[in-house]
Amino acid sequence: MQPQTSRTNPNGNPLTEAMQTLAPNIGPLIAGLVVVFWGLRIWIAGTVFPWMGVGSSGLILCGLVLPLVAWRRPRWRRVTEGVLFVLVTAAFLAWIYWQVFQNPAYGTDELAFDQYAAQLWMHGINPYRASMAPAFQQFLVPVTYHTFTLNGHTITKLSYPALSFLLYVPALALGLHAQAAVWVDAVFWIVANGISYLMLPREYRWVAVLTLSFVQYTNYLVGG
């Protein structure tokens, strides 16, 4: 007699088999809950921007309906997950817009220095030989977010990361000046998670929706 083997999993690993069954089904549900989270997060912005209020309601509705569509119509699961990722991306950009509107100040001197350095570079000035002090007032950096030396002096020189300000030059060249560094960082964050979405196995692509929405990352991104 030949030994019995698993019909569904050639390795005979129950945990692997369970994960293969659970992942495709739970993914759209989790992604849908994240969309609902974003809908609730930008809800308050509807008091200032009515279009955000409408968008918030739409996000909540889609976050509740699309996972059900994915469960009832497995053929549409990949499409619904892609739509959920696009919705989260749109909600993230709307949230960035709201944060910039209600708090135009930069949360770190590093971010202000980088954008100011990019402006100097575009005018032919070497930012590493110029003072970054004007950036404090231009970008409304609170004193609590200045970097101080041990003797109490404020750091006003560009240091690290080397040449990072060059990433902001294209946005400034296109005419974006208000919170340009925040918007550039947001675009890079979306691109990074978009690459993750495309490179992950199809049954785990919903994980990119989670990483894109991770509060600790998004808050630090806006804060600089």
Side-chain angles (χ1 to χ4, degrees), residues 27-195:
L29 177 60
I30 296 178
L33 292 177
V34 173
V35 171
V36 172
F37 160 78
W38 277 108
L40 295 174
R41 199 174 192 190
I42 67 172
W43 179 275
I44 188 63
T47 58
V48 179
F49 302 106
W51 61 270
M52 279 199 183
V54 175
S56 173
S57 301
L59 287 170
I60 295 174
L61 180 62
C62 290
L64 296 174
V65 172
L66 289 180
L68 297 178
V69 174
W71 278 54
R72 295 296 299 272
R73 296 288 187 272
R75 294 181 180 178
W76 297 354
R77 182 173 298 145
R78 308 307 177 198
V79 176
T80 54
E81 287 182 348
V83 172
L84 290 170
F85 183 83
V86 172
L87 290 175
V88 168
T89 301
F92 171 65
L93 290 174
W95 179 76
I96 291 286
Y97 182 83
W98 168 243
Q99 296 301 309
V100 170
F101 173 82
Q102 67 175 348
N103 185 20
Y106 274 169
T108 63
D109 55 353
E110 180 186 352
L111 197 63
F113 285 2
D114 279 343
Q115 183 168 339
Y116 185 69
Q119 294 174 354
L120 293 178
W121 185 85
M122 292 180 66
H123 288 86
I125 301 174
N126 184 352
Y128 288 100
R129 303 186 66 178
S131 172
M132 295 289 109
F136 292 133
Q137 183 176 2
Q138 180 176 342
F139 300 108
L140 307 176
V141 182
V143 177
T144 54
Y145 296 131
H146 293 189
T147 300
F148 296 93
T149 60
L150 292 178
N151 59 8
H153 293 166
T154 302
I155 293 179
T156 58
K157 291 294 183 180
L158 186 65
S159 54
Y160 68 93
L163 301 180
S164 59
F165 65 89
L166 293 178
L167 295 174
Y168 304 121
V169 171
L172 296 177
L174 292 174
L176 180 63
H177 296 285
Q179 297 278 30
V182 170
W183 286 109
V184 171
D185 291 353
V187 169
F188 272 94
W189 183 241
I190 292 172
V191 171
N193 284 277
I195 293 174

